[in-house]
Amino acid sequence: ADLGAALPGLRGLLAALPAAGASVVDIAEANGRWIKIAAHRDAGRWALWCVDITEAKTTEEHLKQQIEQADAAAEMKANFLA
């Protein structure tokens, strides 16, 4: 995935690491892909990793829609029986 669109967020993420031993995690959407970006700073070194979580975010959205539909059906049933 093209991470170029996520770079402004990445720069902010790295700026949020004020001291050695600090870690930070952010989630960003870039070009239709969801990326989990994590950074850790320790003794002048940086560790940075990115994970594509698009599938998990898509599943999460699908489950939210299913819950909304089930809630609406339950409400319609309750109104019908009332």
Side-chain angles (χ1 to χ4, degrees):
D2 178 15
L3 296 178
L7 285 180
L10 178 59
R11 289 186 185 106
L13 183 73
L14 295 177
L17 293 173
S23 296
V24 66
V25 176
D26 195 15
I27 296 176
E29 192 271 339
N31 300 322
R33 306 297 293 181
W34 285 93
I35 309 295
K36 181 178 182 179
I37 305 166
H40 179 78
R41 181 176 172 186
D42 191 20
R45 296 173 294 186
W46 294 86
L48 176 69
W49 58 99
C50 301
V51 179
D52 184 339
I53 59 168
T54 302
E55 185 175 332
K57 291 295 274 186
T58 301
T59 300
E60 178 183 13
E61 184 60 35
H62 178 71
L63 290 173
K64 284 181 183 178
Q65 290 173 355
Q66 293 295 315
I67 290 169
E68 288 173 6
Q69 289 176 359
D71 287 345
E75 184 177 343
M76 286 176 37
K77 179 182 174 185
N79 289 341
F80 177 76
L81 295 175

